[in-house]
Amino acid sequence: MELKNKPDAIVVGAGAGGAAVAWRLVDQGLNVLMLEAGERFNPSRDYKLHQADWERHQFPQTQASQGAVTVAKLDKLAPANHDLMSWNKSRGTLIKDNTRQPAGKGYIHVQGVGGSTLHFVGESHRLNPASMKLQTQFGVGHDWPIDYETLEPYYIQAEKLIGVAGPTEQPGRWRSEPFPLPPHPLSTSAQALVKAGSELGMHWQENSRAALSRPYDGRPACNYCGNCSRGCPIGDKGSADVTFVRHAEATGRLTVKSLCSVIDFDVAEDGRINSLSYVEAGEKHHVAAPVVVLAAGAVQTPRLLLSAKSHFMPNGLANRSGQVGKNFMETLFWSSTGIISEVANTHMGLPADAICWDFNSPDAINGVVGGCRFYSSTREMGFNGPIAYATRSTTGFGRQLKAQVREQFGRAVSVGAIAEFLPNPQSYIDLDETKKDENGIAYPRIHSHLTEQDITRLRFMAEQSRALLKQANATLVEEYGTFDYFATTHVFGTCKMGDDPSDSVVNSECQSHDHPNLFITDASVFPSTGGGEAPSLTIQALAIRAADFIVERFASNS
Amino acid sequence: MKLNIQRRQLLKTVGAFFMAYGLDIHAENLSLSAPSKSETEMLSAFVDVLIPRDQYTGSATDCQVDKQIWSLAESSENFRRLLALGCEGLNATDGPSFSELSYQQQYKLVSWMAESDWNHVPRRFYEIVRQTALSLYYAQPETWQGLSISVPPQPNGYPPPWN
Ligand SMILES: Cc1cc2nc3c(=O)[nH]c(=O)nc-3n(C[C@H](O)[C@H](O)[C@H](O)COP(=O)(O)OP(=O)(O)OC[C@H]3O[C@@H](n4cnc5c(N)ncnc54)[C@H](O)[C@@H]3O)c2cc1C
Ligand code: SF4
């Protein structure tokens, strides 16, 4: 594909952060070249929800859709914490030895135009302002160099572009304008949780969702098929391809080159990035622009920076602080599922439709800093079709197994929970020099460790989930969590932002402290995770803000 | 042969079982070729004990689950070996082969396998074939009789109300 215009900026990665920064840049008149390692999926062809055997297909995996990654040896599982082991009724305890294991690659993601948002469920959250100053207020983790007030106008812009549907109010997060769309109706499984929750004094409400409750911006309303993470074939889910990328391409100023992996950077003596190299169909190319934005996600971005080491930059690119790859923060997740005989049709409706923010503040859980939130997770956990019931919530075989599937189908109710993850020195990303990709670049290696505080949060989530399901009259059939599985859908922190160049990689505008024309606009810049909030909206708000800064400082010069 | 995605995903599940439990199924002298007549009979009988016909829906073999399992085995040596070992095990008793036993006897034997040691072939064969057979069986809409689902989730979705 020939470039129509010389790019003013190159964006690496077309996920949540790359798409949002590109949209804002072209919206303000810049020409942008976007290089994306994965392919462009075609929802109506590639997503299989209309096929008879739909339940056997997860989000499509192709050769290019998965990034290279390895996971270092994980923690031993202390017997004292066996109440946190994953299990289900069909198979018993899922991990049979005493070591934590990665679920698949461990880092659950997608490479493609839209990045991991293609596979995401589409919860759309603003960070709890109280979670942004953990160091100042609680003496743990890191502070954000900006506050909620600064981000609020950018949240509004992102929500409008996506068409977020949500309730009038959410605890702890003021809004200058209502959500663009009204909330979605609650599924039967969510209603069961709301009812049981209110009996226990919990406050549940509609979740804010990147899924359309009405037709919006040329996209149809959700038809409640319940399978967002398998890829939304109708395009109402607000993944980055049908929102930011679509709008950016419509301007004629964005060129997206898929199946192009960026591998290296050429740095001038004054620290500016002169050009970068990428590989397309096995051939190496160089391209230059006044501004380079990295948005390859919190695993691949540090990998690119660390592998770009040279005589002048022995720690890699943008790494004078030594913080690239440090502070890796992951998803701390729990889910309990029960069968409730009085409930039906729980496979119908929007996933993650209800939420409880009661424990979201950093001081909400006794004995530990860092909160969590609970949500309705039946369809996200895959109780969408008969295969899930037959292979996870039933026992034995024969006619009685088939009878169990008929009895249980549509009656699974799951409660999920995600918590704050604080950085610790044993959780980081480095290069695995023993494994190199076809371009000779070492794989990124994830080191993950759970601290006692993480275990405390996990136990709180497990116990509260069990209490809730008990109140709802459920019989537990499955529990799954990140105590024994390393399974991270949210990754953060590996190029954290901060005011102090000796302790952070980028400043509050997402600009590298070391290289003035290098920006990072993915989840790696987060100094903290929040109390379990879904990150994409915050990534996008930060990216839009960074684009405004780029336009102000750089576009006028060029 | 180029694997399609669903086949690859199922084989990954099978692979994960082996990885997770470290079962050594590399036995000598096992045929990796097309299944023998006795193997096909054995597996067909076995999956029909797992998923028999009832008043609503057909059995595993009615839905060609046995054939689909063999076709999966064409692309996975590990899976093929496990099937060979499992079928050999089912035949190893003195007297009639598994497929010639009465349904009650077959049921008893499969019950024993379901309770046997995780680290040995009978249990692993039971678990993997159960998981695979159920996934293949319930991927067919004719098996959804009696469930509150009759067509795939798209293109119609599930418009409310749901109560
Ligand atoms: C199953 C699942 C459910 C989720 N649910 C939610 C949810 O409900 N709400 C929410 O907010 N978040 C959710 N997330 C998380 C969310 O998808 C991610 O946090 C978000 O997409 C991260 O954005 P990013 O820009 O940092 O990275 P990504 O979106 O992962 O994008 C990075 C992009 O960079 C590309 N890239 C990498 N290396 C290179 C290279 N060398 N050259 C060129 N391109 C490269 C990748 O191919 C990829 O497309 C979920 C994630 C998963 C997997
Ligand atoms: S539930 Fe709605 S948003 Fe999710 S995949 Fe189905 S139609 Fe798309």
Side-chain angles (χ1 to χ4, degrees):
Chain A
M1 186 191 291
E2 280 303 308
L3 293 183
K4 273 185 262 160
N5 301 300
K6 201 172 165 316
D8 300 306
I10 301 168
V11 175
V12 181
V21 75
W23 165 72
R24 186 63 168 174
L25 291 173
V26 298
D27 194 49
Q28 307 216 34
L30 271 65
N31 289 307
V32 172
L33 168 65
M34 180 179 254
L35 297 170
E36 166 52 52
E39 66 212 72
R40 196 186 276 263
F41 287 95
N42 174 343
S44 56
R45 182 197 61 206
D46 297 332
Y47 307 159
K48 307 293 187 198
L49 289 168
H50 54 285
Q51 284 187 193
D53 65 348
W54 61 277
E55 202 187 349
R56 290 178 56 203
H57 299 269
Q58 299 303 321
F59 188 87
Q61 283 202 5
T62 63
Q63 194 131 31
S65 74
Q66 293 299 296
V69 64
T70 63
V71 178
K73 210 167 179 329
L74 294 164
D75 296 338
K76 287 271 174 236
L77 300 169
N81 297 325
H82 271 207
D83 57 317
L84 300 177
M85 297 288 282
S86 302
W87 64 276
N88 69 36
K89 214 170 151 193
S90 299
R91 287 173 50 195
T93 307
L94 299 183
I95 288 186
K96 305 285 180 191
D97 69 15
N98 62 352
T99 310
R100 195 175 180 227
Q101 288 180 14
K105 285 198 163 193
Y107 165 39
I108 302 163
H109 68 283
V110 169
Q111 298 201 146
V113 177
S116 301
T117 69
L118 298 169
H119 185 24
F120 84 164
V121 171
E123 293 185 279
S124 195
H125 295 158
R126 295 169 168 215
L127 269 187
N128 186 335
S131 305
M132 295 174 77
K133 303 287 172 203
L134 291 180
Q135 182 53 235
T136 305
Q137 290 179 3
F138 301 96
V140 299
H142 303 288
D143 286 354
W144 288 63
I146 49 173
D147 52 21
Y148 182 84
E149 282 65 26
T150 315
L151 272 186
E152 209 278 339
Y154 300 98
Y155 275 134
I156 291 282
Q157 288 188 39
E159 286 168 346
K160 281 188 180 156
L161 203 101
I162 295 165
V164 177
T168 329
E169 285 193 2
Q170 288 175 320
R173 298 141 172 84
W174 62 267
R175 318 180 45 84
S176 59
E177 289 182 38
F179 281 108
L181 292 175
H184 289 271
L186 291 184
S187 61
T188 54
S189 54
Q191 288 173 31
L193 295 178
V194 172
K195 180 169 176 291
S198 74
E199 287 160 9
L200 293 180
M202 290 170 84
H203 302 96
W204 284 73
Q205 65 173 163
E206 296 100 341
N207 203 351
S208 42
R209 297 286 278 101
L212 302 180
S213 56
R214 305 269 187 279
Y216 184 84
D217 188 31
R219 290 152 54 212
C222 172
N223 67 20
Y224 301 110
C225 79
N227 280 283
C228 303
S229 50
R230 287 183 157 93
C232 177
I234 70 169
D236 78 288
K237 185 178 84 166
S239 48
D241 54 335
V242 298
T243 54
F244 294 97
V245 174
R246 180 172 68 100
H247 275 279
E249 286 187 309
T251 66
R253 289 186 287 277
L254 175 68
T255 303
V256 180
K257 281 176 76 75
S258 52
L259 295 171
C260 289
S261 283
V262 170
I263 55 167
D264 204 3
F265 305 84
D266 178 46
V267 185
E269 271 180 18
D270 67 357
R272 296 177 70 84
I273 310 296
N274 273 336
S275 66
L276 53 77
S277 322
Y278 66 93
V279 173
E280 180 178 23
E283 266 191 48
K284 191 168 171 179
H285 304 266
H286 303 276
V287 63
V291 173
V292 172
V293 185
L294 266 184
V299 173
Q300 298 297 337
T301 287
R303 175 212 194 181
L304 280 172
L305 297 175
L306 290 171
S307 58
K309 56 179 173 248
S310 67
H311 182 62
F312 302 105
M313 302 178 305
N315 292 335
L317 193 67
N319 197 20
R320 271 198 306 186
S321 64
Q323 290 295 311
V324 171
K326 300 276 170 21
N327 305 302
F328 174 71
M329 296 176 284
E330 60 180 85
T331 320
L332 203 57
F333 174 78
W334 182 264
S335 169
S336 296
T337 299
I339 300 292
I340 306 181
S341 54
E342 299 80 28
V343 174
N345 297 330
T346 64
H347 55 299
M348 302 178 176
L350 187 66
D353 49 346
I355 192 155
C356 168
W357 293 109
D358 292 356
F359 305 96
N360 179 238
S361 287
D363 54 357
I365 302 176
N366 273 342
V368 71
V369 176
C372 71
R373 50 72 179 225
F374 293 87
Y375 68 114
S376 142
S377 62
T378 309
R379 290 164 295 287
E380 182 183 343
M381 289 309 294
F383 282 94
N384 309 54
I387 295 177
Y389 285 83
T391 57
R392 290 158 60 185
S393 61
T394 59
T395 51
F397 59 91
R399 290 197 179 89
Q400 59 86 23
L401 183 154
K402 291 171 80 171
Q404 284 178 71
V405 175
R406 283 189 203 108
E407 247 170 60
Q408 294 182 0
F409 185 75
R411 305 189 196 285
V413 174
S414 313
V415 55
I418 303 181
E420 177 96 47
F421 188 98
L422 293 174
N424 71 70
Q426 287 154 273
S427 287
Y428 61 96
I429 286 174
D430 64 3
L431 297 178
D432 184 349
E433 298 291 351
T434 66
K435 286 196 92 177
K436 305 225 163 147
D437 68 13
E438 60 282 8
N439 303 312
I441 318 267
Y443 277 36
R445 177 173 47 201
I446 301 177
H447 300 256
S448 161
H449 166 67
L450 298 184
T451 63
E452 276 310 310
Q453 286 78 17
D454 298 322
I455 305 287
T456 304
R457 273 183 233 106
L458 274 169
R459 181 161 288 112
F460 174 80
M461 297 194 287
E463 287 174 354
Q464 188 72 21
S465 300
R466 289 170 190 150
L468 192 65
L469 287 179
K470 186 165 177 225
Q471 185 66 28
N473 244 342
T475 309
L476 277 186
V477 290
E478 180 177 90
E479 293 188 307
Y480 183 88
T482 56
F483 165 69
D484 51 358
Y485 278 108
F486 171 66
T488 187
T489 52
H490 307 167
V491 287
F492 314 87
T494 49
C495 298
K496 99 178 147 71
M497 61 159 62
D499 291 329
D500 180 355
S502 71
D503 182 46
S504 56
V505 180
V506 295
N507 63 22
S508 62
E509 322 290 346
C510 299
Q511 180 185 32
S512 157
H513 288 301
D514 305 348
H515 310 279
N517 66 338
L518 177 67
F519 291 77
I520 300 175
T521 64
D522 56 32
S524 54
V525 303
F526 279 43
S528 69
T529 65
E533 291 88 329
S536 298
L537 191 73
T538 302
I539 298 170
Q540 288 158 342
L542 286 168
I544 297 172
R545 182 165 178 273
D548 281 359
F549 178 80
I550 293 170
V551 171
E552 198 184 300
R553 292 290 171 91
F554 285 83
S556 49
N557 297 345
S558 64
Chain B
M1 185 213 280
K2 201 163 175 284
L3 293 184
N4 67 27
I5 288 167
Q6 67 187 42
R7 188 176 270 236
R8 234 189 289 155
Q9 265 162 1
L10 207 57
L11 292 177
K12 262 170 67 181
T13 312
V14 171
F17 260 98
F18 288 114
M19 300 254 290
Y21 309 123
L23 183 69
D24 179 13
I25 53 159
H26 290 267
E28 298 297 317
N29 303 326
L30 283 174
S31 161
L32 295 182
S33 55
S36 66
K37 185 161 175 284
S38 102
E39 282 182 319
T40 51
E41 282 173 3
M42 211 76 66
L43 187 76
S44 302
F46 185 75
V47 291
D48 273 353
V49 176
L50 294 180
I51 312 174
R53 199 173 299 152
D54 66 8
Q55 73 212 78
Y56 296 102
T57 49
S59 68
T61 56
D62 290 339
C63 297
Q64 316 275 314
V65 165
D66 50 340
K67 296 203 172 67
Q68 294 181 43
I69 291 180
W70 286 118
S71 130
L72 273 175
E74 284 170 16
S75 18
S76 163
E77 266 190 35
N78 265 354
F79 190 39
R80 179 68 185 88
R81 280 207 175 88
L82 180 79
L83 294 182
L85 276 172
C87 289
E88 199 178 73
L90 286 173
N91 237 353
T93 49
D94 294 338
S97 73
F98 181 80
S99 53
E100 291 161 350
L101 296 175
S102 70
Y103 178 73
Q104 279 74 18
Q105 287 169 318
Q106 290 175 336
Y107 193 92
K108 252 191 158 158
L109 186 53
V110 177
S111 303
W112 170 81
M113 290 169 81
E115 298 296 320
S116 61
D117 189 332
W118 258 111
N119 296 311
H120 295 127
V121 170
R123 177 69 182 275
R124 208 63 62 84
F125 177 80
Y126 167 82
E127 293 292 345
I128 293 177
V129 174
R130 178 187 188 272
Q131 178 100 0
T132 310
L134 288 170
S135 301
L136 294 166
Y137 181 78
Y138 281 110
Q140 305 181 44
E142 60 266 34
T143 68
W144 303 346
Q145 196 79 25
L147 306 179
S148 52
I149 180 174
S150 55
V151 290
Q154 291 289 358
N156 299 329
Y158 307 116
W162 302 303
N163 279 314

